[in-house]
Amino acid sequence: MKVLIITGSPHSKGTTALLADEVRVGAKEAGHEVIRIDTAKLDVHPCLGCYHCRDNDGRCVYNDDMTQIYPHLLTADVIILVTPLYYFGMTAQLKRVVDRFFAINPILRKTPKQLHLLAACGDKDKWAMDALVVHFQTLCRYLHWQEGEKVLAIGAYTREDLKDSDYPTRARKLGAEL
Ligand SMILES: Cc1cc2nc3c(=O)[nH]c(=O)nc-3n(C[C@H](O)[C@H](O)[C@H](O)COP(=O)(O)O)c2cc1C
């Protein structure tokens, strides 16, 4: 299978980068083709809401790094979103990319895929990621994609906080069991 990992953190050696590394290793060891896209390193404009794409066969007015992502998005069997929690949602870096899915909505909604979620946050409250999870579930529902697994690392302000937890192992297992 083709697995597309899309990360949203600006920290290349941060908490969620570790989860992304682990899921990648697990999926590779299981023999999958794995592509990783770090959205924070890309030049992706936020959607203008101009609807040019709707009237022009999915072509966006922007010719930015989203053009590198669309081909993988269309051909991936599995998509894994990886994000730190920023104000109870995904990061803006990742959301910019997700909003730009809009241009190719009709195709995406007809293409079966699995969507998984890996996330980390500092708070230890059980409800800390509720809004993010509902968003993830709603994306699956709207896109007609299979709702996959979640690894939600609470109490993880930094990568160090993951050291004594089972979250990295769970991320690797998720990749291995795709
Ligand atoms: C702008 C910003 C917003 C954040 N919002 C939350 C939040 O709403 N809840 C929370 O528990 N942690 C929040 N955090 C903490 C991060 O989710 C946490 O430090 C995470 O481990 C960072 O992951 P990273 O190293 O992969 O970027 C926030 C951090 C930043 C910088």
Side-chain angles (χ1 to χ4, degrees), residues 53-80:
C53 57
R54 201 179 50 186
D55 304 325
N56 291 275
D57 293 326
R59 278 189 302 279
C60 184
V61 285
Y62 289 124
N63 183 20
D64 58 16
D65 288 342
M66 202 59 207
T67 55
Q68 299 170 24
I69 303 179
Y70 283 130
H72 295 305
L73 199 53
L74 289 168
T75 52
D77 304 290
V78 175
I79 296 175
I80 305 176

PDB file of all heavy atoms in Angstrom, residues 53-80:
ATOM      1  N   CYS A  53     -11.193  26.797  -8.327  1.00  0.00           N
ATOM      2  CA  CYS A  53     -10.988  25.353  -8.515  1.00  0.00           C
ATOM      3  C   CYS A  53     -12.288  24.664  -8.935  1.00  0.00           C
ATOM      4  O   CYS A  53     -12.282  23.765  -9.770  1.00  0.00           O
ATOM      5  CB  CYS A  53     -10.423  24.720  -7.242  1.00  0.00           C
ATOM      6  SG  CYS A  53     -11.436  24.988  -5.774  1.00  0.00           S
ATOM      7  N   ARG A  54     -13.388  25.119  -8.347  1.00  0.00           N
ATOM      8  CA  ARG A  54     -14.671  24.471  -8.618  1.00  0.00           C
ATOM      9  C   ARG A  54     -15.085  24.642 -10.085  1.00  0.00           C
ATOM     10  O   ARG A  54     -15.689  23.760 -10.674  1.00  0.00           O
ATOM     11  CB  ARG A  54     -15.737  25.093  -7.699  1.00  0.00           C
ATOM     12  CG  ARG A  54     -16.938  24.229  -7.492  1.00  0.00           C
ATOM     13  CD  ARG A  54     -17.923  24.876  -6.562  1.00  0.00           C
ATOM     14  NE  ARG A  54     -18.212  26.257  -6.944  1.00  0.00           N
ATOM     15  CZ  ARG A  54     -18.960  27.096  -6.240  1.00  0.00           C
ATOM     16  NH1 ARG A  54     -19.458  26.708  -5.089  1.00  0.00           N
ATOM     17  NH2 ARG A  54     -19.193  28.319  -6.639  1.00  0.00           N
ATOM     18  N   ASP A  55     -14.719  25.776 -10.645  1.00  0.00           N
ATOM     19  CA  ASP A  55     -15.115  26.065 -12.024  1.00  0.00           C
ATOM     20  C   ASP A  55     -14.020  25.742 -13.038  1.00  0.00           C
ATOM     21  O   ASP A  55     -14.178  25.989 -14.232  1.00  0.00           O
ATOM     22  CB  ASP A  55     -15.502  27.556 -12.152  1.00  0.00           C
ATOM     23  CG  ASP A  55     -16.594  27.922 -11.152  1.00  0.00           C
ATOM     24  OD1 ASP A  55     -17.457  27.061 -10.889  1.00  0.00           O
ATOM     25  OD2 ASP A  55     -16.566  29.048 -10.615  1.00  0.00           O
ATOM     26  N   ASN A  56     -12.885  25.241 -12.560  1.00  0.00           N
ATOM     27  CA  ASN A  56     -11.754  24.992 -13.462  1.00  0.00           C
ATOM     28  C   ASN A  56     -11.103  23.634 -13.210  1.00  0.00           C
ATOM     29  O   ASN A  56      -9.879  23.527 -13.082  1.00  0.00           O
ATOM     30  CB  ASN A  56     -10.712  26.109 -13.317  1.00  0.00           C
ATOM     31  CG  ASN A  56     -11.207  27.436 -13.853  1.00  0.00           C
ATOM     32  OD1 ASN A  56     -11.105  27.702 -15.040  1.00  0.00           O
ATOM     33  ND2 ASN A  56     -11.764  28.262 -12.973  1.00  0.00           N
ATOM     34  N   ASP A  57     -11.946  22.604 -13.159  1.00  0.00           N
ATOM     35  CA  ASP A  57     -11.458  21.218 -13.038  1.00  0.00           C
ATOM     36  C   ASP A  57     -10.460  21.018 -11.906  1.00  0.00           C
ATOM     37  O   ASP A  57      -9.462  20.301 -12.065  1.00  0.00           O
ATOM     38  CB  ASP A  57     -10.798  20.760 -14.347  1.00  0.00           C
ATOM     39  CG  ASP A  57     -11.810  20.645 -15.465  1.00  0.00           C
ATOM     40  OD1 ASP A  57     -12.969  20.285 -15.165  1.00  0.00           O
ATOM     41  OD2 ASP A  57     -11.441  20.931 -16.618  1.00  0.00           O
ATOM     42  N   GLY A  58     -10.684  21.670 -10.793  1.00  0.00           N
ATOM     43  CA  GLY A  58      -9.834  21.439  -9.619  1.00  0.00           C
ATOM     44  C   GLY A  58      -8.521  22.206  -9.633  1.00  0.00           C
ATOM     45  O   GLY A  58      -7.674  21.977  -8.768  1.00  0.00           O
ATOM     46  N   ARG A  59      -8.361  23.108 -10.602  1.00  0.00           N
ATOM     47  CA  ARG A  59      -7.104  23.873 -10.644  1.00  0.00           C
ATOM     48  C   ARG A  59      -7.189  25.081  -9.717  1.00  0.00           C
ATOM     49  O   ARG A  59      -8.126  25.877  -9.793  1.00  0.00           O
ATOM     50  CB  ARG A  59      -6.783  24.333 -12.070  1.00  0.00           C
ATOM     51  CG  ARG A  59      -6.103  23.243 -12.914  1.00  0.00           C
ATOM     52  CD  ARG A  59      -5.596  23.804 -14.235  1.00  0.00           C
ATOM     53  NE  ARG A  59      -6.677  24.402 -15.019  1.00  0.00           N
ATOM     54  CZ  ARG A  59      -7.527  23.693 -15.768  1.00  0.00           C
ATOM     55  NH1 ARG A  59      -7.409  22.374 -15.845  1.00  0.00           N
ATOM     56  NH2 ARG A  59      -8.488  24.285 -16.426  1.00  0.00           N
ATOM     57  N   CYS A  60      -6.188  25.192  -8.851  1.00  0.00           N
ATOM     58  CA  CYS A  60      -6.146  26.294  -7.880  1.00  0.00           C
ATOM     59  C   CYS A  60      -5.473  27.509  -8.515  1.00  0.00           C
ATOM     60  O   CYS A  60      -4.638  27.365  -9.416  1.00  0.00           O
ATOM     61  CB  CYS A  60      -5.348  25.832  -6.657  1.00  0.00           C
ATOM     62  SG  CYS A  60      -5.290  27.037  -5.315  1.00  0.00           S
ATOM     63  N   VAL A  61      -5.814  28.686  -8.036  1.00  0.00           N
ATOM     64  CA  VAL A  61      -5.151  29.897  -8.555  1.00  0.00           C
ATOM     65  C   VAL A  61      -3.684  29.946  -8.125  1.00  0.00           C
ATOM     66  O   VAL A  61      -2.872  30.607  -8.747  1.00  0.00           O
ATOM     67  CB  VAL A  61      -5.835  31.212  -8.099  1.00  0.00           C
ATOM     68  CG1 VAL A  61      -7.121  31.439  -8.857  1.00  0.00           C
ATOM     69  CG2 VAL A  61      -6.056  31.247  -6.591  1.00  0.00           C
ATOM     70  N   TYR A  62      -3.379  29.259  -7.029  1.00  0.00           N
ATOM     71  CA  TYR A  62      -1.994  29.252  -6.542  1.00  0.00           C
ATOM     72  C   TYR A  62      -1.192  28.132  -7.199  1.00  0.00           C
ATOM     73  O   TYR A  62      -1.653  26.991  -7.244  1.00  0.00           O
ATOM     74  CB  TYR A  62      -1.953  29.033  -5.031  1.00  0.00           C
ATOM     75  CG  TYR A  62      -2.435  30.206  -4.227  1.00  0.00           C
ATOM     76  CD1 TYR A  62      -3.462  30.056  -3.305  1.00  0.00           C
ATOM     77  CD2 TYR A  62      -1.839  31.457  -4.361  1.00  0.00           C
ATOM     78  CE1 TYR A  62      -3.892  31.128  -2.543  1.00  0.00           C
ATOM     79  CE2 TYR A  62      -2.268  32.531  -3.599  1.00  0.00           C
ATOM     80  CZ  TYR A  62      -3.294  32.358  -2.690  1.00  0.00           C
ATOM     81  OH  TYR A  62      -3.718  33.414  -1.936  1.00  0.00           O
ATOM     82  N   ASN A  63       0.013  28.466  -7.598  1.00  0.00           N
ATOM     83  CA  ASN A  63       0.938  27.451  -8.093  1.00  0.00           C
ATOM     84  C   ASN A  63       2.039  27.333  -7.041  1.00  0.00           C
ATOM     85  O   ASN A  63       3.136  27.839  -7.218  1.00  0.00           O
ATOM     86  CB  ASN A  63       1.494  27.883  -9.453  1.00  0.00           C
ATOM     87  CG  ASN A  63       2.408  26.828 -10.040  1.00  0.00           C
ATOM     88  OD1 ASN A  63       2.345  25.663  -9.651  1.00  0.00           O
ATOM     89  ND2 ASN A  63       3.257  27.228 -10.956  1.00  0.00           N
ATOM     90  N   ASP A  64       1.696  26.699  -5.927  1.00  0.00           N
ATOM     91  CA  ASP A  64       2.648  26.626  -4.814  1.00  0.00           C
ATOM     92  C   ASP A  64       2.977  25.163  -4.506  1.00  0.00           C
ATOM     93  O   ASP A  64       2.709  24.277  -5.333  1.00  0.00           O
ATOM     94  CB  ASP A  64       2.103  27.373  -3.584  1.00  0.00           C
ATOM     95  CG  ASP A  64       0.751  26.831  -3.128  1.00  0.00           C
ATOM     96  OD1 ASP A  64       0.376  25.714  -3.556  1.00  0.00           O
ATOM     97  OD2 ASP A  64       0.065  27.502  -2.336  1.00  0.00           O
ATOM     98  N   ASP A  65       3.527  24.888  -3.335  1.00  0.00           N
ATOM     99  CA  ASP A  65       3.985  23.520  -3.036  1.00  0.00           C
ATOM    100  C   ASP A  65       2.851  22.501  -2.910  1.00  0.00           C
ATOM    101  O   ASP A  65       3.111  21.297  -2.816  1.00  0.00           O
ATOM    102  CB  ASP A  65       4.832  23.509  -1.758  1.00  0.00           C
ATOM    103  CG  ASP A  65       6.192  24.134  -1.982  1.00  0.00           C
ATOM    104  OD1 ASP A  65       6.609  24.250  -3.156  1.00  0.00           O
ATOM    105  OD2 ASP A  65       6.850  24.515  -0.995  1.00  0.00           O
ATOM    106  N   MET A  66       1.629  22.973  -2.921  1.00  0.00           N
ATOM    107  CA  MET A  66       0.500  22.035  -2.883  1.00  0.00           C
ATOM    108  C   MET A  66       0.531  21.133  -4.126  1.00  0.00           C
ATOM    109  O   MET A  66       0.031  20.004  -4.084  1.00  0.00           O
ATOM    110  CB  MET A  66      -0.794  22.848  -2.810  1.00  0.00           C
ATOM    111  CG  MET A  66      -1.980  22.127  -2.270  1.00  0.00           C
ATOM    112  SD  MET A  66      -1.777  21.484  -0.600  1.00  0.00           S
ATOM    113  CE  MET A  66      -2.932  20.107  -0.663  1.00  0.00           C
ATOM    114  N   THR A  67       1.152  21.629  -5.195  1.00  0.00           N
ATOM    115  CA  THR A  67       1.231  20.815  -6.422  1.00  0.00           C
ATOM    116  C   THR A  67       2.066  19.549  -6.201  1.00  0.00           C
ATOM    117  O   THR A  67       1.887  18.568  -6.906  1.00  0.00           O
ATOM    118  CB  THR A  67       1.833  21.621  -7.596  1.00  0.00           C
ATOM    119  OG1 THR A  67       3.089  22.128  -7.170  1.00  0.00           O
ATOM    120  CG2 THR A  67       0.929  22.762  -8.020  1.00  0.00           C
ATOM    121  N   GLN A  68       2.970  19.584  -5.204  1.00  0.00           N
ATOM    122  CA  GLN A  68       3.740  18.365  -4.875  1.00  0.00           C
ATOM    123  C   GLN A  68       2.890  17.374  -4.092  1.00  0.00           C
ATOM    124  O   GLN A  68       3.148  16.183  -4.081  1.00  0.00           O
ATOM    125  CB  GLN A  68       4.922  18.681  -3.946  1.00  0.00           C
ATOM    126  CG  GLN A  68       5.958  19.617  -4.467  1.00  0.00           C
ATOM    127  CD  GLN A  68       6.922  20.020  -3.353  1.00  0.00           C
ATOM    128  OE1 GLN A  68       7.092  19.298  -2.371  1.00  0.00           O
ATOM    129  NE2 GLN A  68       7.532  21.176  -3.489  1.00  0.00           N
ATOM    130  N   ILE A  69       1.896  17.907  -3.369  1.00  0.00           N
ATOM    131  CA  ILE A  69       1.111  17.063  -2.466  1.00  0.00           C
ATOM    132  C   ILE A  69      -0.050  16.378  -3.200  1.00  0.00           C
ATOM    133  O   ILE A  69      -0.337  15.206  -2.950  1.00  0.00           O
ATOM    134  CB  ILE A  69       0.573  17.889  -1.273  1.00  0.00           C
ATOM    135  CG1 ILE A  69       1.750  18.551  -0.526  1.00  0.00           C
ATOM    136  CG2 ILE A  69      -0.245  17.023  -0.318  1.00  0.00           C
ATOM    137  CD1 ILE A  69       1.327  19.410   0.665  1.00  0.00           C
ATOM    138  N   TYR A  70      -0.681  17.087  -4.125  1.00  0.00           N
ATOM    139  CA  TYR A  70      -1.876  16.532  -4.780  1.00  0.00           C
ATOM    140  C   TYR A  70      -1.653  15.138  -5.393  1.00  0.00           C
ATOM    141  O   TYR A  70      -2.490  14.248  -5.172  1.00  0.00           O
ATOM    142  CB  TYR A  70      -2.412  17.496  -5.852  1.00  0.00           C
ATOM    143  CG  TYR A  70      -3.190  18.678  -5.297  1.00  0.00           C
ATOM    144  CD1 TYR A  70      -2.904  19.974  -5.706  1.00  0.00           C
ATOM    145  CD2 TYR A  70      -4.228  18.504  -4.377  1.00  0.00           C
ATOM    146  CE1 TYR A  70      -3.621  21.067  -5.212  1.00  0.00           C
ATOM    147  CE2 TYR A  70      -4.942  19.592  -3.876  1.00  0.00           C
ATOM    148  CZ  TYR A  70      -4.637  20.866  -4.300  1.00  0.00           C
ATOM    149  OH  TYR A  70      -5.344  21.930  -3.800  1.00  0.00           O
ATOM    150  N   PRO A  71      -0.556  14.923  -6.119  1.00  0.00           N
ATOM    151  CA  PRO A  71      -0.409  13.580  -6.723  1.00  0.00           C
ATOM    152  C   PRO A  71      -0.345  12.468  -5.672  1.00  0.00           C
ATOM    153  O   PRO A  71      -0.923  11.395  -5.874  1.00  0.00           O
ATOM    154  CB  PRO A  71       0.924  13.677  -7.485  1.00  0.00           C
ATOM    155  CG  PRO A  71       1.156  15.136  -7.694  1.00  0.00           C
ATOM    156  CD  PRO A  71       0.524  15.828  -6.536  1.00  0.00           C
ATOM    157  N   HIS A  72       0.321  12.738  -4.557  1.00  0.00           N
ATOM    158  CA  HIS A  72       0.400  11.722  -3.496  1.00  0.00           C
ATOM    159  C   HIS A  72      -0.958  11.537  -2.811  1.00  0.00           C
ATOM    160  O   HIS A  72      -1.342  10.429  -2.451  1.00  0.00           O
ATOM    161  CB  HIS A  72       1.453  12.110  -2.459  1.00  0.00           C
ATOM    162  CG  HIS A  72       2.848  12.137  -3.005  1.00  0.00           C
ATOM    163  ND1 HIS A  72       3.410  11.051  -3.630  1.00  0.00           N
ATOM    164  CD2 HIS A  72       3.782  13.119  -3.033  1.00  0.00           C
ATOM    165  CE1 HIS A  72       4.638  11.358  -4.016  1.00  0.00           C
ATOM    166  NE2 HIS A  72       4.880  12.610  -3.679  1.00  0.00           N
ATOM    167  N   LEU A  73      -1.645  12.633  -2.645  1.00  0.00           N
ATOM    168  CA  LEU A  73      -2.968  12.593  -2.018  1.00  0.00           C
ATOM    169  C   LEU A  73      -3.923  11.724  -2.840  1.00  0.00           C
ATOM    170  O   LEU A  73      -4.698  10.931  -2.299  1.00  0.00           O
ATOM    171  CB  LEU A  73      -3.481  14.034  -1.963  1.00  0.00           C
ATOM    172  CG  LEU A  73      -4.590  14.417  -1.012  1.00  0.00           C
ATOM    173  CD1 LEU A  73      -4.260  14.000   0.406  1.00  0.00           C
ATOM    174  CD2 LEU A  73      -4.770  15.944  -1.067  1.00  0.00           C
ATOM    175  N   LEU A  74      -3.808  11.857  -4.139  1.00  0.00           N
ATOM    176  CA  LEU A  74      -4.711  11.109  -5.022  1.00  0.00           C
ATOM    177  C   LEU A  74      -4.384   9.624  -5.050  1.00  0.00           C
ATOM    178  O   LEU A  74      -5.277   8.795  -5.175  1.00  0.00           O
ATOM    179  CB  LEU A  74      -4.633  11.681  -6.449  1.00  0.00           C
ATOM    180  CG  LEU A  74      -5.274  13.053  -6.616  1.00  0.00           C
ATOM    181  CD1 LEU A  74      -4.902  13.667  -7.959  1.00  0.00           C
ATOM    182  CD2 LEU A  74      -6.798  12.944  -6.490  1.00  0.00           C
ATOM    183  N   THR A  75      -3.101   9.279  -4.911  1.00  0.00           N
ATOM    184  CA  THR A  75      -2.707   7.873  -5.095  1.00  0.00           C
ATOM    185  C   THR A  75      -2.495   7.110  -3.782  1.00  0.00           C
ATOM    186  O   THR A  75      -2.339   5.894  -3.812  1.00  0.00           O
ATOM    187  CB  THR A  75      -1.406   7.789  -5.934  1.00  0.00           C
ATOM    188  OG1 THR A  75      -0.433   8.652  -5.328  1.00  0.00           O
ATOM    189  CG2 THR A  75      -1.639   8.224  -7.362  1.00  0.00           C
ATOM    190  N   ALA A  76      -2.477   7.816  -2.647  1.00  0.00           N
ATOM    191  CA  ALA A  76      -2.250   7.126  -1.362  1.00  0.00           C
ATOM    192  C   ALA A  76      -3.462   6.278  -0.985  1.00  0.00           C
ATOM    193  O   ALA A  76      -4.610   6.673  -1.203  1.00  0.00           O
ATOM    194  CB  ALA A  76      -1.975   8.144  -0.262  1.00  0.00           C
ATOM    195  N   ASP A  77      -3.188   5.106  -0.426  1.00  0.00           N
ATOM    196  CA  ASP A  77      -4.260   4.264   0.121  1.00  0.00           C
ATOM    197  C   ASP A  77      -4.543   4.660   1.564  1.00  0.00           C
ATOM    198  O   ASP A  77      -5.651   4.495   2.067  1.00  0.00           O
ATOM    199  CB  ASP A  77      -3.818   2.788   0.103  1.00  0.00           C
ATOM    200  CG  ASP A  77      -3.426   2.335  -1.283  1.00  0.00           C
ATOM    201  OD1 ASP A  77      -4.333   2.216  -2.124  1.00  0.00           O
ATOM    202  OD2 ASP A  77      -2.216   2.153  -1.534  1.00  0.00           O
ATOM    203  N   VAL A  78      -3.480   5.119   2.232  1.00  0.00           N
ATOM    204  CA  VAL A  78      -3.576   5.445   3.655  1.00  0.00           C
ATOM    205  C   VAL A  78      -2.980   6.836   3.868  1.00  0.00           C
ATOM    206  O   VAL A  78      -1.901   7.135   3.351  1.00  0.00           O
ATOM    207  CB  VAL A  78      -2.743   4.437   4.493  1.00  0.00           C
ATOM    208  CG1 VAL A  78      -2.731   4.829   5.970  1.00  0.00           C
ATOM    209  CG2 VAL A  78      -3.267   3.027   4.312  1.00  0.00           C
ATOM    210  N   ILE A  79      -3.690   7.661   4.626  1.00  0.00           N
ATOM    211  CA  ILE A  79      -3.152   8.979   4.975  1.00  0.00           C
ATOM    212  C   ILE A  79      -3.083   9.070   6.501  1.00  0.00           C
ATOM    213  O   ILE A  79      -4.029   8.685   7.206  1.00  0.00           O
ATOM    214  CB  ILE A  79      -4.027  10.100   4.384  1.00  0.00           C
ATOM    215  CG1 ILE A  79      -3.970  10.011   2.848  1.00  0.00           C
ATOM    216  CG2 ILE A  79      -3.549  11.477   4.868  1.00  0.00           C
ATOM    217  CD1 ILE A  79      -4.859  10.952   2.117  1.00  0.00           C
ATOM    218  N   ILE A  80      -1.940   9.523   6.992  1.00  0.00           N
ATOM    219  CA  ILE A  80      -1.759   9.655   8.440  1.00  0.00           C
ATOM    220  C   ILE A  80      -1.474  11.118   8.752  1.00  0.00           C
ATOM    221  O   ILE A  80      -0.455  11.668   8.306  1.00  0.00           O
ATOM    222  CB  ILE A  80      -0.594   8.762   8.938  1.00  0.00           C
ATOM    223  CG1 ILE A  80      -0.824   7.308   8.515  1.00  0.00           C
ATOM    224  CG2 ILE A  80      -0.458   8.885  10.456  1.00  0.00           C
ATOM    225  CD1 ILE A  80       0.315   6.358   8.872  1.00  0.00           C
TER     226      ILE A  80
END
